[in-house]
Amino acid sequence: MAKANLVSLDSNAEIGPRPRVSTSSGTTTSAGNGVVRRPQHHPSSSAEPWEERHAPEYQVAQIADPDHPFQLELGGSLPVVHLAYETWGSLSAARDNAVLVCHALTGDSHVASHPETPGSPAGWWEAMVGPGRPLDTRRFFVICVNVLGGCGGSTGPTSPHPDDGRPYRRRFPLITIRDMVRAQHQLLLKLGIPKLRFVIGGSMGGMQALEWALMYPEAVGALVSIAAPLQHSAQAIALNAVQREIILSFAPGTGPAGDFGLAHQPPEPGLKTDSKSEREPGCTPESGPGSTPGAQPGPESEAGVARGLALARMLGMITYQSWESMEQKFGRRPAPGSLAAAYIHAGSSSRASSGGVGYAYGDSSLADGSSASQATAADGSPATQTGASGDQTAALASTLFEVQRYLHYQGQKLVRRFDPDSYLYLSFALDLHDVGAGRGGLEAALERLTMPVLAVGIRSDILYPPHEQQLLVQFLTNLGRPARYAELDSPWGHDAFLIEAHALGQLLRDFLTTPPAPGELIAAPLSQRPQPLLTGSTRARLQPGFRYLGPDPDQLG
């Protein structure tokens, strides 16, 4: 599988492998007629720089400069924009076999490994890309671009501000999913790729795919949206808001871009507030870590920033699971040496913890260097409560069960590779996601879609439930458009789009082999258990004459 090193911004240039020379200054030059300069990024001290982990495998293109700034949907502009991207396979002579893969919230351009690069690590969708795989690189030229606002080599909060060279941090302007897509579109035009065979993505990647089809319908041959809604629901917004609140509580700095509506927003009438009128000295947004525009958090705050991102990730990870997946992975299996282990096994050697197939992962250290403490006695055995008095903080904060260890591990893992400010900005963009915004509503917006569409739901997804994907096909079917709904009957929750590569690959092959006909309504076999109902404003949007894919509401009581 040949990886095409796209280095020239000349749209007439040949696209194919070219030798590169990496220099100590962080730039990459290429033999041929183009030079790509890797911009210097300044991630948080806790994160391992993307540039060091993937320097041999990704390319960077500049799509905006001070003479041609990148205009943003919410106002303002970016004078310089770089986008990092990776490619697999070869572009055909007709330039008609390109496939764009859009990544999710904490993803990046490294979808899969590059066999021609020694030591290339597996990507986040490894089983989907390669010879003979669903995204077959013998047939397709696969591209993935790190999103604007990310921290995987593209311009984002860790990038240097043009005024002083220090990281933007929260001086970075607010962005939307549409901004990400417009930036990708400009990149592809510069690379001489006017049309995509299809665009595919899951979660935030599916939202980008939807916007690609709506913003550039003439450039998208087909759309595959997986586990992605047409608009962010109240529940999803609430979950993201809490995650941002957690991060900002550890690093509450503000800047010209604002504080995401948290630090200074007055309480709503009738809401009970804290009795203190001001925060404690040193903890106000004005004086707290990161409050100086352009300044990085000081050493004293680095552990706190890492802890905030880790905790936000822990909450996010719960939404990517399901009741079934939690039970299958962990059940009530106690953490080794914990008070829960002593309690569950007390007095009976035959008593065993229930459930849990077991998952291998690292230790339970938190991102700030502390540990997910267990309540232990001086001799190292699990502590027991011997009286009614005494501070029980250690016990209450202890890691009792394996599921807690897993969440701590996932939080710590993200801190090592992701920037907290990028997490803030991208989750904010997710909450603004609404394909009907500024387009006269959902139905008016979706009238633009004439290409074949595959919408994939996940039966156990609690973050973006299946009916949110069904809604897209319901609209398109009643508009007489070629759209198909399929569902992964998987217990793994939202994460199933990353796990169930075999089943997803079969759905994709079927879609490409036999695209849906206009007006066709195909639903993969659904579970027999009741599916969520479309109620309230959603149901109203389906009238009149919109067919409902779920069970008969009258039979659900």
Side-chain angles (χ1 to χ4, degrees), residues 278-433:
E278 294 183 348
R279 302 185 186 216
E280 294 295 330
C283 296
T284 62
E286 292 80 2
S287 61
S291 60
T292 302
Q296 297 186 73
E300 74 284 352
S301 70
E302 290 174 0
V305 173
R307 179 71 179 270
L309 178 59
L311 291 174
R313 178 64 164 181
M314 289 169 68
L315 175 57
M317 287 302 300
I318 297 171
T319 72
Y320 304 152
Q321 310 293 314
S322 70
W323 188 94
E324 296 166 85
S325 66
M326 287 289 203
E327 285 300 304
Q328 289 194 42
K329 292 177 184 178
F330 311 110
R332 282 183 51 80
R333 193 168 68 255
S338 69
L339 184 59
Y343 178 77
I344 291 172
H345 295 289
S348 174
S349 59
S350 63
R351 186 186 298 177
S353 60
S354 64
V357 296
Y359 259 49
Y361 43 83
D363 61 37
S364 57
S365 299
L366 293 179
D368 60 1
S370 64
S371 64
S373 60
Q374 300 171 2
T376 56
D379 62 0
S381 62
T384 57
Q385 184 169 331
T386 57
S389 62
D391 189 341
Q392 299 298 327
T393 300
L396 293 170
S398 64
T399 298
L400 298 178
F401 295 93
E402 281 292 280
V403 66
Q404 290 173 269
R405 292 186 67 222
Y406 171 77
L407 293 176
H408 284 305
Y409 166 71
Q410 290 294 340
Q412 161 190 296
K413 183 179 176 183
L414 185 71
V415 166
R416 288 198 294 263
R417 69 173 181 84
F418 210 78
D419 181 75
D421 284 333
S422 280
Y423 199 94
L424 291 172
Y425 276 84
L426 298 185
S427 75
F428 193 80
L430 285 176
D431 288 349
L432 290 177
H433 169 66

Side-chain angles (χ1 to χ4, degrees), residues 145-204:
V145 185
N146 182 233
V147 296
L148 178 70
C151 56
S154 293
T155 295
T158 65
S159 302
H161 194 291
D163 289 348
D164 54 24
R166 291 195 261 180
Y168 274 99
R169 290 297 168 198
R170 291 175 213 163
R171 295 181 293 172
F172 198 73
L174 299 177
I175 58 173
T176 65
I177 299 292
R178 294 175 188 175
D179 289 328
M180 301 173 195
V181 170
R182 283 193 303 107
Q184 294 166 14
H185 183 248
Q186 291 187 28
L187 169 64
L188 294 188
L189 290 181
K190 286 181 176 292
L191 297 176
I193 302 175
K195 186 167 183 175
L196 295 166
R197 173 66 179 81
F198 61 91
V199 59
I200 182 172
S203 194
M204 189 180 85

Side-chain angles (χ1 to χ4, degrees), residues 113-129:
S113 58
H114 300 280
E116 74 280 7
T117 302
S120 178
W124 54 265
W125 229 9
E126 184 74 19
M128 288 289 287
V129 178

